[in-house]
Structure formats: structure tokens, C-alpha cells
Amino acid sequence: MSSRVSSFLMFIAIICGILVPNSAFISTSRPTAASWRSLPLMQIFHKPIPPAPPQTGDGGGGGGGDGLILRTISADVRRAALTLWQWQLQQQPVQVAGSMVDPLVEAKFLSEWRGDESRAGCCSLIKGRALGAYIGERLEGLVGIHYEIDSSDWMNALRGKHMMVVDVIVIGPAMPARMRALFHACLVRTLLQLGQVHTMNVVMKTTIGT
């Protein structure tokens, strides 16, 4: 009798080994970024959203912690800062180069923007975010970004890979006119680095509201 039981248990063990050999569906370990390509389609579409962007964006060079820093900010902080900036820009307009958009127009657009409160369309799985651009502890700029399925390559779209779309960059009125273009360029470079961190393509919108 005991030999029959032993044989039966051995048979069950063999069957289990055939049916579930190292199955990814029963693994409790989290896949690494390099393994996403080999995962089943449904697991790819449930991958986590990118974490908050790295704190330090562009070093100040002086070693005193005065470099450019990007931080995710709430919708309330975004709207409060833009309300103040719009009032300041109305009282004292900022002169910008011919190729740059009026800061007041950009500030008004970002104050009405809702990209950090919902996802961009039914296919996007990641909610947008507003980023504050700080030099030291001073808020000098704001960025509105949202995420879309990356349709630049059909394999990217099939895997549910997202791209980062920069809707607008607003530079605060306290930034001197002679420094605004340079600060804008530093922000663009930092956003491109952020895309590299998350292995995402980055699209910069050139027209407000498109």
C-alpha cells in the first residue's frame, strides 16, 4: 500500500514539474528592466509607472547646492505659483527674444492645464505631472508633461511603451531677461536626461495648446 502511495506522489510531482516549469506567472520576484521584452503581453501592460524624476538635474558647478533641481509638485502648488506669476507679469511684462513665447501666455496655459490630474487619453497608462525647476530653494520655472503611447515604432506601441511629451515650460518672472534663454536650454537638456533615465523618447511641443 505504501509503495502505491509513493508511486502516486512521484507521478503527481512529475506532472507538476511538466506543467509549471519555472513559470513567470508564479514568480514573486519583480522583473528587471532588461526582461520586459520577454514578458507576456498582459504583464507588460501592468508594468509600474516611472518613479519621480531624479532630484538633481543640472549641476551649478559651484559645489554649493545651487544647481538646477527638478521636483514633482502638486496641482495646488502649481496653480498658486502661476497665480502669483501671472499677476507679476501683468504688472511688469518681461521682454523675451523674438523666437520665445510671451511668458504670460505660457503661464496662463499652464494654470488651466490639467495634465497632472488625469491620463492623456484612453490608451495612456501613466498620469502626467507638473515639475518645479528649482535653483537652490527658489522656484524659477514650471514644466507640464504628459505621457502617451510611443507610436514612433510599432513594437514600442505593442509593448505599451510610453513617451514623455513636454506641453509647456514656464520661466518665472524673477529670472533676468539675459538669462532666460540659457535657463530654458538647461531645462530642455535636463528633461532629455530624464527621458533617458526612463528609456523614453521625449517630444517637445513647439506651439502652446497643440
Side-chain angles (χ1 to χ4, degrees), residues 165-187:
V165 181
V166 181
D167 290 315
V168 65
I169 296 174
V170 182
I171 299 175
M175 180 66 60
R178 68 182 185 278
M179 298 294 297
R180 297 181 74 85
L182 178 60
F183 185 64
H184 187 278
C186 288
L187 273 174

Side-chain angles (χ1 to χ4, degrees), residues 54-188:
Q55 288 278 309
T56 302
D58 204 73
D66 56 350
L68 173 61
I69 297 174
L70 289 180
R71 298 174 184 159
T72 300
I73 61 173
S74 68
D76 289 338
V77 172
R78 168 176 59 84
R79 283 191 286 264
L82 288 165
T83 298
L84 174 61
W85 287 3
Q86 287 181 84
W87 179 82
Q88 291 174 327
L89 290 167
Q90 288 169 350
Q91 300 302 311
Q92 189 173 359
V94 174
Q95 299 296 323
V96 296
S99 59
M100 298 186 71
V101 180
D102 184 348
L104 184 57
V105 174
E106 295 173 321
K108 186 176 187 301
F109 172 80
L110 190 56
S111 67
E112 299 172 352
W113 179 79
R114 296 292 181 267
D116 55 355
E117 298 175 10
S118 61
R119 295 176 176 83
C122 60
C123 295
S124 178
L125 304 178
I126 307 175
K127 188 169 68 172
R129 60 175 55 143
L131 302 177
Y134 292 82
I135 296 181
E137 293 301 317
R138 301 188 310 275
L139 179 63
E140 300 286 0
L142 290 167
V143 184
I145 62 176
H146 74 269
Y147 299 93
E148 297 178 5
I149 295 294
D150 188 351
S151 57
S152 63
D153 181 87
W154 70 272
M155 281 300 296
N156 286 345
L158 185 62
R159 296 202 304 267
K161 189 174 180 61
H162 287 64
M163 64 181 179
M164 188 172 74
V165 181
V166 181
D167 290 315
V168 65
I169 296 174
V170 182
I171 299 175
M175 180 66 60
R178 68 182 185 278
M179 298 294 297
R180 297 181 74 85
L182 178 60
F183 185 64
H184 187 278
C186 288
L187 273 174
V188 170

Side-chain angles (χ1 to χ4, degrees), residues 11-89:
F11 174 75
I12 293 297
I14 293 173
I15 292 299
C16 290
I18 293 174
L19 292 180
V20 286
N22 299 322
S23 172
F25 291 101
I26 62 172
S27 173
T28 58
S29 61
R30 182 177 178 182
T32 63
S35 67
W36 285 122
R37 186 170 300 176
S38 62
L39 289 177
L41 187 60
M42 288 307 296
Q43 284 185 289
I44 291 173
F45 277 93
H46 285 84
K47 63 185 178 181
I49 66 172
Q55 288 278 309
T56 302
D58 204 73
D66 56 350
L68 173 61
I69 297 174
L70 289 180
R71 298 174 184 159
T72 300
I73 61 173
S74 68
D76 289 338
V77 172
R78 168 176 59 84
R79 283 191 286 264
L82 288 165
T83 298
L84 174 61
W85 287 3
Q86 287 181 84
W87 179 82
Q88 291 174 327
L89 290 167

